[in-house]
Amino acid sequence: MRLITRSGPFIFLCALACLSGGIKAGTPAPLPPSGDSPEIRDAQDAARRVRSLYFSEDNTAGVAEGEKLIERFPDSSELRAWALVNETQQSLGDDAIREEAMALTVERPSDPWSWFALTAASRFSKERRSETLKLSRKALAMAPDHPDFLWLRAIVLSDQRKPAKAVDFVEQVIPRVSNPANLLTVRGDAILDLNGSEGEDVDPLILEAALQDYGRARRADSSCVMAYTHAAMALAYSGHKPQEALPLIEQAAQIAPCSLGVHRSLWEIIRLNGEMNEEEKQARLESNIQTLLSCRGGKSLDEGSS
């Protein structure tokens, strides 16, 4: 889905937060509890944790926790793959990440997760579109019924400007997974991309079809964060209805209260909401940042900067 941009709104809102006295400019928000938490008993738990951070749109925590957990479970290819997925999403195509993933395929050529990692690390490279499609086919062939590998194939099809194929692929494979929420979210994104070039007005029928799939995703799994955030951003930007988007993004923030990515989207939608005056926006923003910092172990806004 290409409609989401954060540069201007995010800078504006971060500046507003800094002026409020609660966050010092240039000081990152504290991370959530580290991967050393006692509930991480084995490598499978670790992989699930880092995977969950990706799907909660908390890539910063996914990278940080992933690094710590890899120290504990260095033999887990699945854990390393999801750490790289978070890192790729955060850096949007850093060659060093791709090189690390490629090294994993050399080290473990018969392990499907090494190819999963390389596919994900290649997603954002425009020069490697054809190669990424081939990698996604190879990874899926090694784990043809795994929901995450089906999801990866779908998202690569959508990324590589083949939205119609992504839409059809998801509909074909849905019966093969017990929880299709992530696949349906990708399908909603791909439907939006059927509209054409970025920046064009979205056909209302296309927007409605995408929103229906996001709704299907939420019905399949009411805790699927991206089914809320993607629908909210589609409504706010493609539908020009930020006031209708606000309840959806607030639900996402309730499901993933520590996710910086989710809160960034919430800040954008607050900024866009024409039904609030500037004082109301600032009050909502400050309240939300206080909640976020509390969740992530930082100081609240009314404590001031140190």
Side-chain angles (χ1 to χ4, degrees):
M1 183 169 64
R2 296 174 308 216
L3 59 92
I4 300 175
T5 58
R6 288 199 169 106
S7 56
F10 182 47
I11 291 170
F12 167 83
L13 289 165
C14 281
L16 179 57
C18 293
L19 290 172
S20 301
I23 306 176
K24 292 175 67 177
T27 303
L31 292 173
S34 74
D36 295 326
S37 52
E39 66 269 16
I40 305 295
R41 299 179 300 272
D42 53 31
Q44 192 62 44
D45 281 350
R48 277 195 294 263
R49 169 62 178 166
V50 177
R51 176 188 183 277
S52 74
L53 289 168
Y54 173 82
F55 284 109
S56 297
E57 300 188 5
D58 201 356
N59 306 121
T60 302
V63 171
E65 293 196 24
E67 289 177 355
K68 293 188 177 187
L69 288 167
I70 287 169
E71 291 178 1
R72 291 177 58 190
F73 307 106
D75 295 330
S76 174
S77 298
E78 183 179 359
L79 170 58
R80 289 176 66 179
W82 281 112
L84 286 168
V85 170
N86 276 284
E87 197 170 354
T88 299
Q89 187 68 34
Q90 188 178 47
S91 302
L92 298 181
D94 189 321
D95 285 342
I97 301 170
R98 189 175 186 279
E99 289 172 7
E100 185 178 348
M102 188 174 293
L104 190 60
T105 66
V106 173
E107 178 186 341
R108 306 173 186 183
S110 62
D111 191 326
W113 285 106
S114 68
W115 296 99
F116 183 100
L118 182 57
T119 303
S122 304
R123 275 182 57 197
F124 298 110
S125 174
K126 293 180 180 179
E127 297 78 17
R128 295 191 175 95
R129 281 185 176 140
S130 177
E131 181 184 353
T132 305
L133 287 165
K134 291 177 182 177
L135 286 169
S136 70
R137 283 197 297 270
K138 179 180 178 69
L140 182 59
M142 298 176 79
D145 293 314
H146 195 294
D148 290 340
F149 286 75
L150 293 167
W151 165 82
L152 183 64
R153 174 62 176 169
I155 205 167
V156 166
L157 286 169
S158 183
D159 283 346
Q160 306 307 321
R161 296 185 177 176
K162 296 183 182 295
K165 288 187 177 181
V167 169
D168 291 342
F169 174 79
V170 170
E171 206 58 43
Q172 291 168 11
V173 303
I174 279 176
R176 292 158 61 180
V177 300
S178 59
N179 182 348
N182 290 323
L183 280 166
L184 286 167
T185 301
V186 174
R187 191 174 190 272
D189 296 344
I191 288 172
L192 280 179
D193 284 341
L194 291 172
N195 190 73
S197 300
E198 186 176 3
E200 291 182 0
D201 287 341
V202 175
D203 185 315
L205 293 177
I206 288 179
L207 176 59
E208 181 57 34
L211 291 173
Q212 286 180 5
D213 267 9
Y214 297 138
R216 289 171 67 193
R218 294 193 298 275
R219 289 191 295 274
D221 182 356
S222 61
S223 66
C224 179
V225 171
M226 290 184 177
Y228 295 89
T229 59
H230 290 210
M233 298 304 277
L235 274 169
Y237 281 94
S238 298
H240 307 292
K241 298 177 180 178
Q243 67 279 6
E244 293 184 21
L246 190 56
L248 284 166
I249 198 66
E250 287 178 331
Q251 285 180 274
Q254 289 176 0
I255 297 166
C258 296
S259 170
L260 184 56
V262 170
H263 285 274
R264 284 175 175 170
S265 296
L266 175 55
W267 301 342
E268 287 189 51
I269 289 171
I270 289 172
R271 183 191 68 86
L272 291 171
N273 197 323
E275 294 185 355
M276 295 182 191
N277 60 39
E278 290 306 313
E279 291 76 14
E280 290 172 328
K281 289 179 182 180
Q282 180 161 339
R284 289 288 292 273
L285 175 63
E286 291 183 355
S287 174
N288 178 259
I289 291 176
Q290 185 171 334
T291 300
L292 174 62
L293 291 179
S294 176
C295 184
R296 292 170 76 91
K299 293 183 177 181
S300 62
L301 287 173
D302 58 10
E303 290 181 89
S305 58
S306 58

